[in-house]
Amino acid sequence: PSFVQNYSITFGEQSAGATSTPPVYGVFLPKSIKSITPSPYKDKAFYLIKNGEEIVGISASFEYENQNQIFSSPFGEFNSNWVNKNIISMLTKPSYGVGGFLYSLNPKTKSLNKILSDIKGLTVLWSPSADKIIYSKSGKSGFATSLYDVESKEPSLFSLTV
């Protein structure tokens, strides 16, 4: 299904002997977009929209052609980030008192893998190679920061000094 509508508009008036103004083309994005992120190659975008009772993830060109639904879920408020060619990061919106989850979504295979789970106040930043994730979590005495190795699935706590 198509989730956006194409439009074209022309600015300026045309009169005899005047240079014509070329039309400006674009798309109206859905009103229900919850998150949007460009691919690292700047050739596509991934966006999450509310569609009825579910959240749907769409990959499309910047002209919003070639729309491809690659994700759907009956739950969730996610922040998305297109990390590399094979990973779109799907992070539940962080909250101090609620466990957060991090998933990786493969845009080609549409597979969704849980990376981190049930971590209160979870915020993340992937390394450019996507082999490490720095993340923070909330606790009774503040925030703790860790480095997660994606391959070994092992976190290591480290402290930051200011």
Side-chain angles (χ1 to χ4, degrees), residues 8-160:
S8 69
I9 55 176
T10 304
F11 291 101
E13 294 183 27
Q14 296 181 5
S15 59
T19 307
S20 66
T21 304
V24 176
Y25 297 98
V27 294
F28 287 112
L29 298 174
K31 291 180 184 179
S32 57
I33 284 184
K34 301 296 182 186
S35 178
I36 188 166
T37 183
S39 78
Y41 305 104
K42 312 228 182 318
D43 60 340
K44 296 179 186 175
F46 173 77
Y47 58 97
L48 294 168
I49 62 170
K50 182 90 169 146
N51 186 29
E53 296 299 316
E54 65 181 354
I55 298 292
V56 175
I58 306 295
S59 171
S61 69
F62 283 109
E63 294 78 28
Y64 289 91
E65 297 172 346
N66 304 319
Q67 296 177 43
N68 185 17
Q69 181 177 329
I70 60 175
F71 173 78
S72 69
S73 173
F75 65 91
E77 288 279 332
F78 294 97
N79 292 326
S80 60
N81 180 32
W82 205 321
V83 178
N84 67 23
K85 181 180 177 181
N86 297 317
I87 296 175
I88 298 173
S89 172
M90 304 282 289
L91 174 67
T92 56
K93 292 196 174 180
S95 174
Y96 172 81
V98 177
F101 294 81
L102 174 65
Y103 301 91
S104 66
L105 173 65
N106 184 313
K108 291 190 190 311
T109 66
K110 303 178 185 181
S111 64
L112 186 68
N113 297 309
K114 189 182 333 179
I115 306 293
L116 296 170
S117 61
D118 204 26
I119 299 173
K120 292 182 180 175
L122 179 63
T123 58
V124 305
L125 180 63
W126 291 73
S127 67
S129 59
D131 61 341
K132 305 253 189 292
I133 301 167
I134 189 169
Y135 71 96
S136 68
K137 61 183 176 179
S138 59
K140 291 179 183 176
S141 60
F143 292 92
T145 304
S146 297
L147 186 65
Y148 182 79
D149 185 295
V150 176
E151 188 174 319
S152 71
K153 299 181 180 181
E154 292 293 324
S156 56
L157 184 66
F158 67 95
S159 63
L160 298 174

